[in-house]
Amino acid sequence: MSSLSRELVFLILQFLDEEKFKETVHRLEQESGFFFNMRYFEEMVTNGEWDEVEKYLSGFTKVDDNRYSMKIFFEIRKQKYLEALDKRDRAKGVEILVKDLKVFAAFNEELFKEITQLLTLENFRDNEQLSKYGDTKSARGIMLAELKKLIEANPLFRDKLQFPTLKNSRLRTLINQSLNWQHQLCKNPRPNPDIKTLFVDHSCGQPNGARAPSPVTNPLMGAVPKPGGFPQLGAHGPFQPTPAALPTSLAGWMANPSPVPHPSASAGPIGLGAPNNAAALLKRPRTPPNNPGMDYQTADSEHVLKRTRPFGISEEVNNLSVNILPVAYTSQSHGQSSYSTDDLPKAVVRTLNQGSAVKSMDFHPVQQILLLVGTNMGDVMLWEVGSRERIAAKSFKVWEIKSCSVTSQASLSNDLTASVNRVMWSPDGTLFGVAYSKNIVHIYSYHGGDDLRDHLEIDAHNGSVNDLAFSYPNKQLCVVTCGEDRVIKVWDAVTGTRQFTFEGHEAPVYSICPHHKENIQFIFSTATDGKIKAWLYDNLGSRVDYDAPGHSSTMMAYSADGTRLFSCGTNKEGESYLVEWNESEGAVKRTYLGLGKRSVGIVQFDTTKNRFLAAGDEFSIKFWDMDNVNPLTSIDAEGGLPASPCIRFNKEGILLAVSTNDNSVKILANGDGVRLLRTVENRAFDASRAAPPAVLKAPTIGTFGSANAGVVTSIGDRAAPSAAASMVGMSGDGRGLADVKPKITDESAEKSRIWKLTEINEQSQCRSLRLPDNLTAMRVSRLIYTNSGFAILALASNAVHKLWKWQRNDRYVTAKATTSAVPQLWQPPSGILMTNEISDTNPEDAVPCFALSKNDSYVMSASGGKISLFNMMTFKTMTTFMPPPPAATFLAFHPQDNNIIAIGMEDSSIQIYNVRVDEVKTKLKGHQKRITGLAFSHTLNVLVSSGADSQLCVWSTDGWEKQTSKFLQIPSGRAAPSLADTRVQFHLDQIHLLAVHETQIAIYEAPKLECLKQFLPRETSGPITHATYSCDSQSIYVAFEDGSVGVLTAQSLRLRCRINPAAYLTPNPSLRVYPLVIASHPSDPNQFALGLTDGGVHILEPLESEGKWGTSPPIENGAGPSTTSGAVVPEQSQR
């Protein structure tokens, strides 16, 4: 086959793929043997479609072609054979052995004999070589990795694994060019030819006295439509083109806006002026012409339009998030190639716990260690990344509901919750906006530190507000919004007055991108049906109307210098497109490779500097050099990322925020970012106390000046971190913060004299609430907040569960657990209680345990008898299983699979149980006494267990082998109790492990279990009864037998606050009451709950004026936790 014929096959493959003829595409790949589609191959292998796998491979190689091919076919057939044996289908196994595997006997007879002998085994895993064979899914994954290596090494696949780089819709383009050329040859060209077929050459039949002009393209001014042109093939015809065919200069169009009014319609191709005839003025092409000299209409446009109309996406669009960000660094232009992947922020340096799913993030444009975060629960939080401190927070609440429209009032009265869709700082950082999923936009003014003030509440759209941005037409700061009601609106940022309304989209508007070229201000908008439009700040309608690549929901953004335009989006099939546009030609300049074909979500897009692109996709972050379509590298940020994490860079590109599966944000840094954060840490203490307060200047909102204007803020004595951060760009000597060397002097003694342990002795010194309870009071054995933070679940020693729920009302709209509102002890209408089965022994002697599902829908629980599964809504028992003996003593859900439970038992074993198939997968033995704690790390793929024998064990979750074990270091002079509960809990980083024992608090590093620090309580406090990390892992709450609660700084294990029992209990000398269990709120790091010996449950929070529990003691130079291995921190030494 000639090279041109070969290339034609590739064009046909591209066309079939764009038209979604999926089976035909793969059939042609196989029959031609020109392109091996590795992604399609992976899907078939993963799904176990073995016949289709071999059929596809047959187009490229045969079993005996070479040793690589033989190994490929052998691995596939061996896997098929093992799966048949695993299903106990011996007849199928024999059939595969005879038909598929016997061919390999000629090459290795011994191997074939060994394979045959597997039929005689009850379980083929008894064969030593197959003892580590897992389940079918994992085995296929391991085999697939091996197959990919063999295929890449096989010379028969050389040059067949990479599809040629083609402009989108290349075959359509060639046909368009052919038709255009045929039209030039017409003797009597018609101005609006009617193209009805491609089967014969085009020819205009009737003379009209005018010859069609040749196509003209002016790269500076754009295309000028001609009366002899025809609408592009595919605008309403059999081919639906993609934006690769944009013909005109976006820059040229922007510099020369059309003066002709054409509300919500495009008068032809993107470009200058109006069409030269009235008929063309009224036509509204769906896509821009491929060539401005050729525009043609088809007779059957109506039915074709129905067939090819892009999909519509429902309101769940806002819950999807693959994220794309172009990134680059100072002093590097996009023409340079002198860069290193070390410039990328890849090291995880911080973890910030949000408590609910992250929807949007934005770094402050001036104070670049301030991060704004919005969540799906409507919370907006401002973090100071250097200190990990949440310095301000706002929850969704309508400020003036009476000022809202009737439609909005009706919507909000039914449900007072809303998700954040977008948070965005203004260019100078004096304001930020929040777009919610319910009608409303909030604008806050920021005055430094924790000083956030309500500025504007805008009833912006009917339904969800999907996006928000700031722009400055006429040098006046404005807010641009778009929404589910298909409208874009522009608002005055000072008064909230609506200035412009842009209508014309036929689907919800998904995103907006304001920009300017020279003195021309404009807005790009994209909709969920894949349409892209552009608007000037006037009332003359859209200037552009064309399709996004793949008809995807798309976001657009410019590079920091405004010279390069990118877009990225995902369509209904999960196909993602990341492209750069050639503005002078209005066409796609390059399409970047490497995004997943099955992306979970719609791409969010942003730019910073002019060097790299980054995407959150396939549980990782992928990077590209802007000038290279192939991926540069990818990282998993130490694991724990969702399929499509939300990502955001700071302005300099040295920090990167990424959302995680457990509702947290990881902060990644490059070398410069690490130095910046270290400098902030080292200067934080001095800055908050020694630095004179800066003069506070209110933000200038009225007129918008330079985007680079500094923001002068005063942090006052709030601390710390932000004070140092605010020095960036404001220090009088002109040095940047990164240039300031930390000052190390012998001031530790002075600091220690200044710092004082916070003692809380009275009820007026904190906020506390005893939860109402009309049931029998029995000591609280287990306690947990629901994952939403809206309720608390307790398990009493009499095997009865109690559930308290906070209700929304006019005064309290968030429904989150708080001391400010009294919850309801909830029961279903049936009045039944969730009560565990108990054994014949004394219930008081049982070891209660429970675990809550991730979605709060059910709880698994035991109190010495069978394990029960309860529905949390109805309180009904769904099932019971595992009758004693032995009894269950601890329960933990597998983090990746709610059907897998680790069950600690009274007999010291751990059973890995599959609920769905009611089967114990394996039993782990390593302890001498009952199991008292279990904790999974999804980062390390380990399970850590703890027992009443004071021992910790680490087990691999891949094969459930024991990796290591270690006994707690009991302090000298203290006798080790014969039976004492030891609890374990992982830090948010999933590496550091909190171990809680009545004699100590210890921090270990998994998986080797190196003891980093210990905390020993004073003897007068009595034994430790329980302890837990705060939700952000920055604090540890410790309950003692004397009734007191200690708050430790997790990093140093130093006590910073002691809450004495008189602060939350009414004194009663005749009754000894103390906390048995302690639970931390899932999103508020300063709230915790106590379960008491008298059956009471108390919630404690610091005073609003304080905001947190005490201040951390200073860390002397060289004594930080990172350098102190096994350091013992006695409580006595801190007073």
Side-chain angles (χ1 to χ4, degrees), residues 983 996-998 1023-1027 1038-1041 1074-1077:
R983 301 293 169 80
V996 181
H997 187 266
E998 67 174 53
I1024 294 169
T1025 59
H1026 199 228
V1038 187
F1040 297 95
E1041 202 171 276
Y1074 60 89
L1076 286 170
V1077 283

Side-chain angles (χ1 to χ4, degrees), residues 251 254-256 472 515-522 562:
M254 290 302 176
N256 301 274
Y472 40 98
H515 196 60
H516 65 94
K517 287 283 184 179
E518 300 177 357
N519 295 322
I520 304 298
Q521 304 280 342
F522 56 92

Side-chain angles (χ1 to χ4, degrees), residues 1000-1012:
Q1000 64 188 276
I1001 299 292
I1003 302 295
Y1004 288 84
E1005 185 171 2
K1008 294 183 178 179
L1009 293 183
E1010 178 188 357
C1011 184
L1012 303 179

Side-chain angles (χ1 to χ4, degrees), residues 931-933 946-952 968 980-984 995-997:
I931 304 301
T932 58
S946 58
D949 54 2
S950 303
Q951 184 184 193
L952 307 179
L968 295 183
D981 285 359
T982 306
R983 301 293 169 80
V984 284
V996 181
H997 187 266

Side-chain angles (χ1 to χ4, degrees), residues 269-498:
I270 313 167
L272 292 168
N276 294 350
N277 60 68
L281 178 68
L282 300 176
K283 291 175 183 171
R284 184 183 180 201
R286 294 277 167 184
T287 59
N290 222 4
N291 189 312
M294 44 169 289
D295 265 327
Y296 41 84
Q297 207 89 359
T298 70
D300 57 351
S301 62
E302 205 45 51
H303 87 270
V304 174
L305 188 61
K306 291 177 183 175
R307 183 176 75 83
T308 61
R309 181 169 180 79
F311 70 97
I313 295 180
S314 65
E315 61 186 2
E316 76 227 44
V317 63
N318 292 308
N319 296 323
L320 305 172
S321 59
V322 178
N323 303 277
I324 303 296
L325 292 157
V327 188
Y329 300 96
T330 312
S331 75
Q332 291 184 347
S333 71
H334 63 258
Q336 292 174 302
S337 59
S338 57
Y339 68 90
S340 164
T341 55
D342 292 338
D343 293 330
L344 299 169
K346 296 186 291 187
V348 178
V349 293
R350 298 285 188 276
T351 301
L352 314 174
N353 184 271
Q354 296 298 135
S356 48
V358 174
K359 294 301 295 292
S360 179
M361 300 182 286
D362 198 20
F363 278 96
H364 194 281
V366 179
Q367 300 181 44
Q368 293 190 52
I369 53 173
L370 295 185
L371 178 65
L372 189 63
V373 182
T375 76
N376 68 335
M377 301 302 298
D379 297 325
V380 179
M381 303 178 187
L382 182 59
W383 293 88
E384 201 285 302
V385 173
S387 66
R388 306 178 181 86
E389 184 181 16
R390 190 185 70 178
I391 59 178
K394 296 285 184 181
S395 297
F396 176 72
K397 180 180 180 181
V398 181
W399 302 343
E400 293 291 339
I401 194 164
K402 293 181 180 178
S403 302
C404 296
S405 66
V406 176
T407 305
S408 296
Q409 288 187 44
S411 172
L412 293 164
S413 63
N414 294 332
D415 187 358
L416 293 175
T417 61
S419 169
V420 173
N421 285 338
R422 172 72 83 172
V423 292
M424 180 72 73
W425 288 101
S426 63
D428 64 350
T430 58
L431 298 175
F432 68 81
V434 186
Y436 291 100
S437 63
K438 289 272 187 75
N439 306 63
I440 299 298
V441 167
H442 281 161
I443 307 297
Y444 293 91
S445 60
Y446 179 57
H447 301 260
D450 60 351
D451 191 359
L452 293 183
R453 303 177 191 176
D454 299 350
H455 176 60
L456 286 176
E457 180 174 75
I458 302 173
D459 184 7
H461 294 270
N462 291 327
S464 175
V465 185
N466 291 336
D467 201 4
L468 169 149
F470 288 88
S471 66
Y472 40 98
N474 305 318
K475 297 185 179 180
Q476 181 72 28
L477 184 62
C478 290
V479 181
V480 186
T481 62
C482 66
E484 190 178 11
D485 55 6
R486 309 178 182 183
V487 175
I488 300 104
K489 298 180 181 180
V490 181
W491 314 83
D492 187 300
V494 178
T495 64
T497 304
R498 188 172 65 195

Side-chain angles (χ1 to χ4, degrees), residues 11 156 173 181 193 264 284 300 303-304 313 383 499 560 584 601 609-610 671 692 694 770 805 835-836 1035 1077 1102 1117:
L11 296 181
L156 294 176
T173 302
W181 177 249
S264 40
R284 184 183 180 201
D300 57 351
H303 87 270
V304 174
I313 295 180
W383 293 88
Q499 296 183 327
S584 64
K609 299 295 182 183
N610 315 294
R770 184 179 176 109
K805 288 186 178 181
T835 306
N836 284 331
S1035 303
V1077 283
N1117 289 327

Side-chain angles (χ1 to χ4, degrees), residues 121 155 170 253 264 378 545 727:
L121 300 177
R170 178 61 184 160
W253 159 70
S264 40
D545 186 354
M727 294 177 183

Side-chain angles (χ1 to χ4, degrees), residues 351 638 662 666 937 939 986-993 1033:
T351 301
E638 299 179 359
D662 57 2
K666 288 185 179 181
S937 168
T939 298
F986 270 105
H987 186 284
L988 279 177
D989 64 13
Q990 295 286 290
I991 295 174
H992 293 93
L993 182 78
S1033 294

